[in-house]
Amino acid sequence: MHFVESEFAKRVNPSETLAVTTLIAELRRQGKNVIDLGAGEPDFETPEHIKAAGIRAIETGKTKYTPNVGTLSLREAICRKLYSDFGAQYEPKQVVVSNGAKQSIHNTVLALCNPGDEVIIPSPYWVSYPEQVKMAEAVPRFLPGEEANDFKIKPEALAREVNASTKLILLNNPSNPTGTVYTKQELQALIEVLRKHEVWILADEIYLKLVYRGSATASLATFPEIRDRLLLVNGFSKSYAMTGWRLGYVVAPPPVANAVAKIQSHTTSNPCSISQEAGFAALEGSEEALMAMRTQFEARRDFVHAAVSQWPGVSARLPGGAFYVFCNVAQVLGRKYRDKTISSPSVLCQLLVEHAGVALVGGEAFGSTRHVRISYANSMENLREAMHRLQRAFEEIAAV
Ligand SMILES: Cc1ncc(COP(=O)(O)O)c(C=O)c1O
């Protein structure tokens, strides 16, 4: 039978970050020793009390469908957390729990956007945003943040970009891939611009618990003046090392939450019942494990950033949060490495994985033709070895 991809499928590009994972698996099968600094996944184990809650859920028969929007107890726990963390008062009917923040964003974009609506995406951006916007037949409008300004977008530039067709802005703070963290004042200035227009704000705050020394920020939930237009997305993958449990949520004004719930009811129904019990334990339990992870991430950030600063032809801003260093490799492009021309960041990454045994992700996946992303969600031992290998590779490139 001849297959012709649907127009819907044609609109979507495959995930370049997942492609790196596939390439690493292939090289490892061939016996190559590859250190993976591509994946955006904490290397830590899910904390014990969270795992135990998952096991208990299975043993006590919490293995059935739950309400489509998630259990009431989890949604209540999310509201309690939003109140204790940010003083923000929300009701469970405003919360829809999904199979990961990725699904929450997808559902929310689908619930809001009509074909042709414009969605502002500050760039560099998380790889899935443009694809999710295109799936809704909406139009991504990229707003570049300047590297010299830590990749942050400026209010004046935002004011120029917003127009009558703008439906939504996707604000990711702290940012994947740059690790950029907006201060509360900077967020306030962006809000001032957005409030002059009928624009929804989707705040993807999945890295908000991972902000390091020297940086401070605020949740958009702490700005009451935008509460009626705020779609607050968060998840358990990054802060609680729960990537495989697939659990995230959106908190939104009730009509939006209802539309999101309706969409989800015909796709995945509810998120996994077992994961929801584990998520409840994550929110209600001690944050000691989270704090310990954050301390380790901070030490790795400092180590990796210092290492990158030694490489000839490469530079990087000090990221304030998340677990990525976004390296500018513009000076290396056009040079040779092992007889091949480094024509783009993704070619550089292919050559590095093959010859240096370290996997990174080319900036193209995030809207940059001048950068590569290092994920430091890996052990210090692996990071030491990887930084050493990359130092040698960039010295070799500089010497040709
Ligand atoms: C910025 C950002 N948002 C959302 C997600 C999705 O997280 P999950 O679907 O695992 O909750 C990720 C994961 O990489 C991310 O980096």
Side-chain angles (χ1 to χ4, degrees):
M1 183 87 174
H2 180 57
F3 170 64
V4 181
E5 213 177 32
S6 69
E7 293 306 314
F8 176 83
K10 274 189 206 144
R11 277 202 298 277
V12 182
N13 288 316
S15 164
E16 288 183 48
T17 45
L18 294 183
V20 174
T21 310
T22 313
L23 175 64
I24 295 168
E26 177 52 32
L27 289 170
R28 284 183 178 157
R29 231 191 331 271
Q30 293 168 16
K32 291 226 164 82
N33 172 327
V34 178
I35 302 174
D36 182 3
L37 304 188
E41 175 164 50
D43 56 309
F44 302 108
E45 282 283 307
T46 304
E48 284 308 320
H49 69 285
I50 301 177
K51 282 192 200 169
I55 293 167
R56 218 168 29 249
I58 296 174
E59 287 173 348
T60 55
K62 299 213 163 122
T63 53
K64 304 279 164 79
Y65 289 133
T66 72
N68 142 247
V69 290
T71 62
L72 181 60
S73 56
L74 178 57
R75 286 177 293 124
E76 282 172 345
I78 290 168
C79 293
R80 275 196 295 278
K81 192 77 179 157
L82 291 171
Y83 186 69
S84 63
D85 281 0
F86 314 127
Q89 248 160 343
Y90 279 104
E91 293 177 53
K93 69 174 182 204
Q94 295 179 265
V95 183
V96 182
V97 187
S98 298
N99 301 280
K102 189 181 271 189
Q103 191 190 15
S104 300
I105 300 165
H106 181 55
N107 286 341
T108 309
V109 170
L110 283 178
L112 280 163
C113 291
N114 287 311
D117 281 347
E118 292 185 4
V119 178
I120 296 179
I121 304 179
S123 98
Y125 46 75
W126 180 48
V127 61
S128 292
Y129 293 150
E131 305 311 314
Q132 296 202 339
V133 168
K134 286 190 278 170
M135 281 194 260
E137 292 189 50
V139 184
R141 297 276 305 202
F142 301 112
L143 181 55
E146 271 176 43
E147 185 159 5
N149 191 33
D150 280 330
F151 302 99
K152 293 173 194 177
I153 56 166
K154 294 220 168 111
E156 312 82 77
L158 180 61
R160 283 194 296 274
E161 196 63 30
V162 184
N163 64 59
S165 304
T166 310
K167 176 59 74 67
L168 173 68
I169 179 167
L170 301 180
L171 269 181
N172 178 210
N173 178 45
S175 153
N176 175 5
T178 60
T180 294
V181 173
Y182 284 84
T183 64
K184 185 159 190 177
Q185 291 71 23
E186 287 164 340
L187 292 172
Q188 182 78 60
L190 296 178
I191 283 171
E192 293 314 317
V193 173
L194 293 166
R195 283 184 71 201
K196 296 194 182 117
H197 304 269
E198 290 271 299
V199 178
W200 294 90
I201 305 171
L202 190 154
D204 178 351
E205 299 188 347
I206 196 156
Y207 295 101
L208 199 69
K209 294 268 180 196
L210 300 176
V211 173
Y212 310 122
R213 209 174 351 97
S215 296
T217 189
S219 168
L220 285 192
T222 57
F223 295 88
E225 65 270 35
I226 53 162
R227 188 62 58 78
D228 65 341
R229 62 172 72 203
L230 179 64
L231 319 152
L232 190 69
V233 171
N234 213 322
F236 297 75
S237 290
K238 315 288 175 174
S239 359
Y240 299 100
M242 290 177 69
T243 42
W245 299 77
R246 310 307 304 126
L247 201 65
Y249 57 86
V250 62
V251 188
V256 183
N258 289 343
V260 167
K262 196 165 61 168
I263 291 167
Q264 178 160 297
S265 75
H266 291 295
T267 52
T268 56
S269 299
N270 57 269
C272 169
S273 60
I274 301 152
S275 301
Q276 290 187 64
E277 293 297 312
F280 180 85
L283 294 179
E284 298 279 295
S286 148
E287 291 208 336
E288 221 173 286
L290 188 160
M291 293 305 149
M293 287 192 265
R294 193 177 68 185
T295 304
Q296 291 207 44
F297 277 136
E298 185 169 286
R300 296 169 184 187
R301 170 198 71 160
D302 292 343
F303 172 71
V304 170
H305 182 259
V308 170
S309 309
Q310 303 294 316
W311 301 342
V314 184
S315 65
R317 315 283 303 177
L318 180 71
F323 37 66
Y324 309 102
V325 177
F326 207 50
C327 308
N328 188 320
V329 292
Q331 282 188 42
V332 168
L333 300 179
R335 301 185 72 97
K336 293 236 169 193
Y337 181 41
R338 307 275 166 112
D339 287 337
K340 295 246 171 64
T341 302
I342 306 167
S343 53
S344 66
S346 56
V347 167
L348 173 62
C349 291
Q350 270 164 26
L351 294 171
L352 288 174
V353 77
E354 246 174 77
H355 302 299
V358 182
L360 311 177
V361 184
E364 293 93 330
F366 314 103
S368 165
T369 52
R370 302 160 63 83
H371 295 84
V372 296
R373 188 191 76 176
I374 297 178
S375 161
Y376 54 85
N378 209 320
S379 69
M380 208 49 169
E381 192 191 345
N382 282 343
L383 289 173
R384 260 192 215 103
E385 175 60 22
M387 293 304 109
H388 181 62
R389 291 183 190 182
L390 291 169
Q391 168 95 35
R392 276 197 318 232
F394 284 105
E395 279 170 1
E396 196 181 321
I397 293 166
V400 177

